[in-house]
Amino acid sequence: MIEASIKQTEPTTVAYIQMRGAYQQMPLAMGQLYAWIGGHGMQPTGMPMGVYLDDPATVPESGARWEVWAPVAGGVDETAPNEGGIGVKHIPAMTVASTVYKGPYEGVASTYEALGEWLAGKGYVMAGPPMETYLNDPGDVSQEDALTEVVFPVQRG
């Protein structure tokens, strides 16, 4: 059993980087994205997020499409991704199901399954790609203390 909730997010502006392939590229993607943000005079305003555009049950990891989002201070115009896949977009408010997983990232899959089961019992269905917000820096905490918020955009089924 998980502790989950339905909540409303606020609209936000994110700098993002488009990625394809192995999720082990996450640290590299974050480094590239945050270097770009700093180089463009933007101010990060929240924790980074991973957005997973393909279902790992149907798309092999080698071909998986995903993005890293970094919330940035408002007033930044949207930009299409550059040659490195980095751009800026505005994310509207949305209704989401949310729960927090604690532990090594390799174990987060069970949280996806549990949140999906929880949703079904509440009369909601997914309405967009799943997201993860990384609530602490893996360089600052042990793997066992890593916190990942798993978020599903939802709507009434």
Side-chain angles (χ1 to χ4, degrees), residues 23 30 50-51 57 71 82:
Y23 303 124
M30 284 190 187
V51 181
N82 64 18

Side-chain angles (χ1 to χ4, degrees), residues 20-38:
R20 183 178 292 273
Y23 303 124
Q24 290 82 4
Q25 300 175 84
M26 183 69 72
L28 174 66
M30 284 190 187
Q32 290 174 335
L33 180 59
Y34 280 93
W36 184 88
I37 290 168

